[in-house]
Each structure stands twice: as structure tokens, then as C-alpha cells.
Amino acid sequence: MSDQELDEARHPMGVVTQRTGLTSHAIRAWERRYGVVDPGRSAGGHRLYSDREVERLRLLHRLTIGGRQIGQLSDLSDDELAALLSEDESAGMTAPGVDRPAAADETIRLLDDAMDAVRALDADTLDAILRRAALGLDTIAYLEHLMTPLLRRIGDAWVNEEVTPAHEHLASAVVRRVGGWLLDNLEPDGDAPALVLATPTGDRHELGAMAAAIAAASAGWKVLYLGSDLPASDIAGAALASGAKAVALSLVFGDAGDSVGAELLSLRRLLPASVPIIAGGAAAGMYSDEIEAIGGVTLETFEQLRLRLAREYA
């Protein structure tokens, strides 16, 4: 293959993730922070990678699995990376056949380590664990098998008086910071559809909404994440101003009574009929009648949200 062919930008992100074992947000993070590759763009604004860039990303992934730091590798040439990988493989440093910490036992270990950091009030270690996992795990696996179970464990420990509100607040702050970092790195393509995501008035539980925002961004959507406790008028206003193709609500607080139903009705009246309303969260089932009454849809998992957005609304 000629140099010109090797440098031709022709592989979409989906092909690159399959060939390298990296997640799309890891690739984007490495591009933005370290400039390891410089992909081209299709006519529609989608990233396209050359064979040479795919191979470079594959080498970088193998080396980071072996314990190397991406910041120490980013300035090396492809030949230098290949030589270093050969050296590491000879020394038994790499782990062939293991592309990411996705096995159940590894995820449990990460969860245990994260909980230990919470108990120790060690924000730096917790941050490092979550970022490392977010780069190695599929986005939905990170949300459903690490982030959400961690928050659930902390909640249970608080109920059992094993941790204090200080532990919970520290963990929430770190989870929120890492979530924001993930959203920043899940840059959508130029023609990506927009989704507005928030919690309604009276619901101040933000992290479920942030997790849903990350899931939506991983499906290729441009997410306008508005946070918690917003009235229907503000949510609808943001959707109209941005030309959003859908609105999603996270419902966690189950004691809001009729106010949630009223907010849902108001939101439906303020939005065009063509803009669907999606609801999820721990309390969504409590408002199934109200959601059905406005023609909304209730989803139970982040994977369901990602698939619904990818298949029906894009």
C-alpha cells in the first residue's frame, strides 16, 4: 500500500473503535488533550481516520494497557511506539487479548477500590479510578456497572451509618467532575441532533441526569445538559432555542406528587408535538400514568436510552 493510501482518511469512528479496542471518548480525549492523531472529516462533519492513524491508536492502546502513560507516549513516532511495544512484549509487560477492563471481576475490583477511596475521603484516588475506568470501559458499562453501583453503595452505607454526609458529598463532587470531563470529550459530529436533558422542578438529584447525558452523547447526540430543578418553561425554552429533536427528564425524587404531573403537562403543551419527551430514573415508574398521558416514553436503563436515540430519533 502506498503512502498516499495509508494517509487517506477513510475509516469512521465505529471501525476505529473495533480495530483498536479503544472507546470513542478515549480517542477523542487523546486527540484533544495530546494531539495523537488529526482525523479528517466527511462532508457531513464525521471523523475519518487513515490506516496510519488507526495503527498509531492501536499501538498507543497496547502500550497504555501495559502500564505506560499516554502523556509520555504522545510525542513518539509510530516507529518508536512499535519498538517500545516490542520491547514491552518481550519483557512481559503487555496483556495480549485483554483490550479493556470489562470483565465482571475487574469491574467489581474497580468498584471496591472506588469505595475504599470514598471511605478514606481520598478525592484524588477516586478521580483517578473513575477516569481510568471511563477510558477503558464502554460508556454504558461505566455508567451501569461502576458509576451507578458506586452511588448506590454510598447511599446504602450512609443509611447504615458506615459513612457520613461528608463522604457522600465528596464522592458526588468527584463523580460530577468526571462526568463533566466525559461530556467534554464526547464531542458530537457537526450535524448531530440535539437533546435537552434536565430534572424537573423539585428534583435536585443531578447525577442520574448527568449519566443520561453521557449515554446520549455516546450515541452521537449533542446534549444540552441543564442540570437539576428546572421548570418546564425553561426546559421547553432551551429546546425551542436549540432546535432540539428530543427532551429527556431524569426523575429521581418520588415525593413530588402532583407537581411532576403538572410539569410534564406544561412541558408537553410548550413543545411541538414532533419533539418526543423521554423519562427515566428511579422514580419514573411512579409517574407512568402521567408520562403516558403526554405521549411520553419511559426507559429503564442507559442502554435503552442510547439505543432509542440511535435508532428512532437520529
Side-chain angles (χ1 to χ4, degrees), residues 31-296:
E31 284 176 22
R32 181 174 299 178
R33 182 171 298 182
Y34 302 105
V36 296
V37 290
D38 184 20
R41 295 279 177 169
S42 69
H46 298 274
R47 281 175 166 82
L48 292 175
Y49 297 80
S50 68
D51 288 295
R52 206 185 300 274
E53 287 173 323
V54 172
E55 176 61 14
R56 179 173 179 80
L57 288 169
R58 188 193 70 82
L59 290 170
L60 289 168
H61 189 208
R62 298 302 304 149
L63 286 162
T64 55
I65 288 173
R68 302 280 183 178
Q69 298 298 312
I70 184 63
Q72 299 172 339
L73 301 171
S74 58
D75 291 333
L76 299 181
S77 69
D78 293 352
D79 288 343
E80 288 171 327
L81 292 174
L84 188 59
L85 179 61
S86 178
E87 178 184 333
D88 285 354
E89 287 178 339
S90 297
M93 290 175 60
T94 60
V98 181
D99 288 335
R100 61 188 62 172
D105 56 346
E106 178 66 12
T107 306
I108 292 171
R109 184 187 66 77
L110 288 169
L111 184 56
D112 289 340
D113 290 346
M115 194 64 199
D116 288 343
V118 173
R119 290 193 177 95
L121 292 173
D122 188 344
D124 290 342
T125 296
L126 178 61
D127 186 288
I129 290 169
L130 295 182
R131 288 177 192 260
R132 185 167 64 249
L135 287 172
L137 292 168
D138 173 81
T139 303
I140 300 302
Y142 171 77
L143 297 175
E144 295 191 344
H145 302 307
L146 183 60
M147 176 180 164
T148 301
L150 174 63
L151 295 173
R152 190 178 299 119
R153 277 199 191 186
I154 294 168
D156 291 342
W158 182 81
V159 169
N160 294 327
E161 299 183 347
E162 297 170 5
V163 298
T164 68
H167 294 86
E168 190 274 334
H169 284 208
L170 177 140
S172 295
V174 173
V175 170
R176 188 179 299 109
R177 182 167 67 240
V178 174
W181 169 74
L182 267 174
L183 283 174
D184 286 342
N185 285 305
L186 286 167
E187 178 188 352
D189 292 312
D191 57 351
L195 170 76
V196 167
L197 205 151
T199 74
T201 296
D203 196 327
R204 297 180 176 85
H205 293 76
E206 178 187 4
L207 294 179
M210 174 170 278
I214 294 167
S218 75
W221 283 60
K222 176 183 178 182
V223 180
L224 279 72
Y225 173 60
L226 305 181
S228 62
D229 195 18
L230 278 181
S233 57
D234 287 347
I235 297 171
L240 293 170
S242 64
K245 293 188 66 175
V247 170
L249 298 175
S250 175
L251 305 174
V252 178
F253 188 56
D255 297 328
D258 294 338
S259 66
V260 170
E263 288 294 297
L264 288 170
L265 288 171
S266 178
L267 185 60
R268 181 70 280 168
R269 286 195 300 268
L270 293 168
L271 289 173
S274 59
V275 177
I277 297 174
I278 306 166
M286 300 178 63
Y287 301 105
S288 57
D289 291 343
E290 291 88 343
I291 295 167
E292 184 178 355
I294 64 167

